[in-house]
Coordinates of all heavy atoms in Angstrom, one line a residue:
Q17 N 9.1 -6.8 18.1 CA 10.0 -6.3 17.2 C 10.2 -7.2 16.0 O 11.2 -7.8 15.8 CB 11.3 -6.0 17.8 CG 12.3 -5.2 17.0 CD 12.3 -3.8 17.3 OE1 11.9 -3.2 18.3 NE2 12.7 -3.0 16.2
T18 N 9.1 -7.4 15.2 CA 9.2 -8.3 14.1 C 9.0 -7.5 12.7 O 8.4 -8.0 11.8 CB 8.1 -9.3 14.2 OG1 6.9 -8.6 14.3 CG2 8.3 -10.2 15.4
F19 N 9.6 -6.4 12.6 CA 9.5 -5.5 11.5 C 10.4 -5.8 10.4 O 11.6 -6.2 10.6 CB 9.6 -4.0 11.9 CG 8.8 -3.6 13.1 CD1 9.5 -3.2 14.3 CD2 7.5 -3.9 13.1 CE1 8.7 -2.8 15.3 CE2 6.7 -3.4 14.2 CZ 7.3 -3.0 15.3
P20 N 10.0 -5.7 9.1 CA 10.8 -6.1 8.0 C 12.0 -4.9 8.0 O 11.8 -3.8 8.2 CB 10.0 -6.0 6.8 CG 8.9 -5.2 7.2 CD 8.7 -5.4 8.7
S21 N 13.1 -5.5 7.7 CA 14.3 -4.5 7.6 C 14.9 -4.3 6.2 O 15.5 -3.4 5.8 CB 15.4 -5.0 8.6 OG 15.9 -6.3 8.2
E22 N 14.6 -5.4 5.4 CA 15.2 -5.4 4.0 C 14.4 -4.5 3.0 O 14.9 -3.9 2.2 CB 15.4 -6.8 3.5 CG 16.4 -7.6 4.3 CD 16.4 -9.1 3.9 OE1 15.7 -9.4 2.9 OE2 17.1 -9.8 4.6
I23 N 13.0 -4.7 3.1 CA 12.2 -3.9 2.2 C 11.3 -3.0 3.1 O 10.5 -3.4 3.8 CB 11.2 -4.9 1.4 CG1 12.1 -5.8 0.6 CG2 10.3 -4.1 0.5 CD1 11.3 -7.0 -0.1
K24 N 11.5 -1.7 2.9 CA 10.8 -0.7 3.6 C 10.8 0.6 2.8 O 11.8 1.3 2.8 CB 11.4 -0.5 5.1 CG 10.4 0.4 5.8 CD 11.1 0.7 7.2 CE 11.6 2.0 7.2 NZ 12.1 2.8 8.0
P25 N 9.6 0.9 2.2 CA 9.5 2.2 1.6 C 9.9 3.4 2.5 O 9.7 3.3 3.7 CB 8.1 2.3 1.1 CG 7.6 0.9 1.1 CD 8.3 0.2 2.2
F30 N 8.0 1.9 11.6 CA 7.5 0.8 12.5 C 7.6 1.2 13.9 O 8.7 1.8 14.3 CB 8.2 -0.5 12.1 CG 7.8 -1.1 10.8 CD1 8.7 -0.9 9.8 CD2 6.5 -1.6 10.6 CE1 8.4 -1.4 8.5 CE2 6.3 -2.1 9.2 CZ 7.2 -2.0 8.3

Side-chain angles (χ1 to χ4, degrees):
Q17 183 96 27
T18 58
F19 309 122
S21 58
E22 295 174 3
I23 300 172
K24 189 183 103 174
F30 293 104

